[in-house]
Amino acid sequence: MDRPLGITVSRHIMDLQRMHPEATGDLSGLLSELIVAAKTISAEVNMAGLADVLGMSGKTNIQGEEVQKLDEFANNTIKRRMARCGYICVMTSEEEEGIIPVTDGYEGKYTLAFDPLDGSSNIDVNVNIGTIFSIHRRKSDHGKPPMGRRSTDVAEGWEPAQGKPGSEEDLLQAGRDQVAAGYIIYGSSTMLVFTTGEGVYGFTLDPSVGEFFLSHPEIKIPERSKYFSVNEGNYCYWDENMRRYIDHLKQNDKESGRPYSSRYIGSLVADFHRNLITGGIFLYPKDNKSPDKPTGKLRLLYEAAPLAFIVEQAGGRAITGDGREIMDIEPDQLHQRVPLIIGSRYDLDEAEAFLACRK
Ligand code: AHM
Ligand code: MG
């Protein structure tokens, strides 16, 4: 029987580009390169499930090469591919302390922040993990050349930034200024979900042809949910308001649909993805567990901000619980942590009211 003709992710990206006649194609090129990296990681993750050996680095594979840990493999795959793609000027990764420069001569106009393999505690136990990415235009991009100039000219008061190395400052930008963000979830199937600010689209990898096909067009998160996702083992470290909110969700009140069901995998991408599709609220609030993480566990640039962009595009919200929208936070450090409360709009509004309560 003939396969139904699906819309490939490349076709979708080309269609997006066509809607913007001023587009240069750089963002499309960048996304396409990232997708190749994602397919490479997906293949390796699937192998790990079968072989059950890849968690231990220091081993050698059948070719006598040293086997990398999966998170190290994912980091290197993205870093090496993107360093020579020609569309970005600098990167940051959860796996590396400092900025990651691109190869000399390949500097482009975007920046890339990524978590190569999120959900590290699940990597070795065959539970869903994912890659998260966030793309900004470089701050030092001085825009289009003035009339009559080509981008290679240097005019008075205007200098093309493309071709120059990017800096930490280029990466330290608010979520609100993202041009694209997304994640790849390595689950029962591999899915790519992303936004360029014009809705959220999901694609499922057909491994038999190695192509992502549109499976979830224009994703909208249900406005109200019946699921909450939080590590309740941290209950004793939360403040009073947070405890009251979770107690509230667990109370029996048929009219308002409580108690909510609890769903927590411990892999942000997987917990977020489920809530995006079914509706739900995910919380990793601030707690007093460890003095070095007073502001929660999750990272702003490559965990909270990209998922906030996606959830807002899908009709939901993302907040810190202390009066700030995740998208508005101006970062001052690459690996800055933030409290993250994200998901269905009604639930976010309710959580916000509980958490702001002063008594
Ligand atoms: P990681 O980046 O080291 O994988 O940590 C982030 C993960 C998230 O995927 C997940 O939401 C959270 O940490 C789980 O933390 P906990 O085990 O404290 O519940
Ligand atoms: Mg992570």
Side-chain angles (χ1 to χ4, degrees), residues 226 228 248-254 256-261:
K226 53 181 191 313
F228 72 99
H248 163 80
L249 293 181
K250 297 196 295 188
Q251 274 160 13
N252 190 356
D253 177 30
K254 289 233 159 41
S256 60
R258 288 177 290 141
Y260 276 28
S261 286

Side-chain angles (χ1 to χ4, degrees), residues 94 115-120 130 132 268 298-299 302-303:
E94 186 183 307
D115 183 349
L117 217 45
D118 182 65
S120 44
I132 313 175
L268 176 62
L298 300 174
R299 319 285 187 143
Y302 40 77
E303 292 179 328

